[in-house]
Amino acid sequence: MNRFEDSRYRYVHPPDRPGIFGAGNAAECDYLTVDGAVRIPWGGSPRPGDVERIRSLHLCPTPAQLRKPRLPAYLPSLVNLESLSVPAPLVPHLASGGVGGRLRTLTVHVDHRDPIPEEPLDAAAALPGLTALMWVSGITTPRLPRIVDPLPPLEFLLTNVTGDPAVLRQVESLPTLRHLELIDSRNADVFDHIRAPLRTLELSGTGRAFPIHRLSTVPTLEALRLNTVRTEIDCAVFATLPELVDLRVLNCPRVVNVEALLDHPRLASVSFLSSRNPFGKEGKALFKSRGFARLDIDYS
């Protein structure tokens, strides 16, 4: 049982390999072609027989090519395109890229070498059918609202917060969300901005003053992942989530009262990793006797 990963897979995993393509030079597309994707040279076009096969496209221009960002001219011809992965400088061009009505999943990659677009993409107007958006960035700026804003009625969103109230405003504007992943949450009270009946939530990179007890304000959660939460986690809070089935705790050094999990009526999958062993030897034996469908606490 892996309710969290199943949810993410459903929203953002590319279609089967015959439909996955990458556009760029061999070096930029290496990570795709190793897994079986078909490469289209940057500046080239797909073979005629591939046009209808393309369901997922990763655009991989070099930094030099991004100095004059442009989308491939063949995008409007990709009648079955569902998923698109692009570097941030290409995002504004999606307004006229000819894919707005078909696109369901958008992944935006941010690199410190990339130029920042002058205006964000109005995705609510340009990509009205979008249901999933992933913001993949290893740097703190820019953040999502600088590149994409406003958002269409998404069901899946992965983004960093990094203390930016504009990001929380975007979360608040999405009552349609069912799966939310917030990275670098710090001490922001993100719960004040969640208006959706979430089923799946990840909170990552919080500070010591993060209000983890306010998880109780999202009672619809079925899957929860906590990663690098630095505040103390009293496992009694999970009893306030009656629908919780899948709990994952990674790199959280201050976890107490794990015995409270044993009384949860629906919890079936429990995973603790690198969390300073809050169970102890006797606690691990007790949990193993409980009969969870999935229990991964040996390396907690």
Side-chain angles (χ1 to χ4, degrees):
M1 174 179 288
N2 195 334
R3 189 73 65 90
F4 185 95
E5 292 298 337
D6 287 348
S7 176
R8 177 187 266 204
Y9 189 97
R10 182 172 66 254
Y11 281 114
V12 301
H13 193 273
D16 293 337
R17 286 182 181 177
I20 301 177
F21 287 69
N25 63 35
E28 299 291 330
C29 292
D30 178 66
Y31 75 102
L32 294 167
T33 53
V34 165
D35 290 333
V38 178
R39 184 179 74 87
I40 305 168
W42 192 258
S45 299
R47 295 170 298 185
D50 286 337
V51 169
E52 292 189 2
R53 297 176 60 224
I54 299 176
R55 297 171 60 203
S56 177
L57 180 64
H58 298 245
L59 300 182
C60 307
T62 65
Q65 289 164 336
L66 280 176
R67 294 189 190 115
K68 293 184 178 180
R70 62 179 179 83
L71 293 172
Y74 55 79
L75 272 188
S77 70
L78 305 182
V79 294
N80 293 314
L81 184 67
E82 303 171 15
S83 174
L84 185 63
S85 177
V86 298
L90 291 180
V91 170
H93 300 271
L94 293 174
S96 57
V99 296
R102 304 188 297 281
L103 211 59
R104 297 292 176 265
T105 301
L106 177 65
T107 301
V108 180
H109 294 269
V110 186
D111 189 281
H112 70 278
R113 300 168 295 179
D114 292 343
I116 300 175
E118 293 183 2
E119 296 291 336
L121 172 73
D122 181 348
L127 306 173
L130 202 67
T131 59
L133 174 59
M134 292 187 72
W135 175 259
V136 182
S137 174
I139 55 180
T140 57
T141 56
R143 288 177 284 277
L144 177 61
R146 182 67 181 81
I147 308 297
V148 186
D149 191 56
L151 302 175
L154 301 174
E155 296 179 21
F156 177 104
L157 175 64
L158 184 158
T159 186
N160 59 346
V161 179
T162 321
D164 191 337
V167 176
L168 297 176
R169 171 185 55 76
Q170 287 187 317
V171 171
E172 191 168 342
S173 73
L174 296 171
T176 51
L177 282 175
R178 297 298 177 265
H179 185 133
L180 175 64
E181 300 185 27
L182 296 177
I183 312 301
D184 194 22
S185 301
R186 302 188 183 182
N187 291 318
D189 190 346
V190 299
F191 303 103
D192 266 346
H193 304 273
I194 295 175
R195 298 286 181 264
L198 292 178
R199 299 291 184 263
T200 305
L201 174 66
E202 175 174 10
L203 298 169
S204 176
T206 77
R208 288 182 174 270
F210 183 79
I212 192 68
H213 64 281
R214 300 207 61 218
L215 276 169
S216 61
T217 64
V218 199
T220 53
L221 284 179
E222 298 174 1
L224 173 65
R225 183 161 71 180
L226 302 175
N227 189 354
T228 320
V229 172
R230 295 180 178 86
T231 191
E232 182 178 273
I233 302 172
D234 183 340
C235 291
V237 72
F238 303 125
T240 66
L241 306 175
E243 304 300 318
L244 190 65
V245 176
D246 183 5
L247 173 65
R248 301 175 181 278
V249 180
L250 299 83
N251 308 306
C252 298
R254 303 169 66 199
V255 179
V256 299
N257 194 21
V258 290
E259 294 81 7
L261 299 176
L262 294 168
D263 297 325
H264 197 289
R266 297 200 64 192
L267 193 60
S269 177
V270 177
S271 177
F272 280 71
L273 178 65
S274 299
S275 296
R276 296 189 180 177
N277 190 14
F279 299 89
K281 185 175 181 180
E282 293 182 2
K284 285 186 177 181
L286 186 62
F287 269 74
K288 289 178 179 178
S289 68
R290 159 73 159 68
F292 290 98
R294 183 178 186 273
L295 181 64
D296 180 12
I297 60 175
D298 287 341
Y299 300 99
S300 61

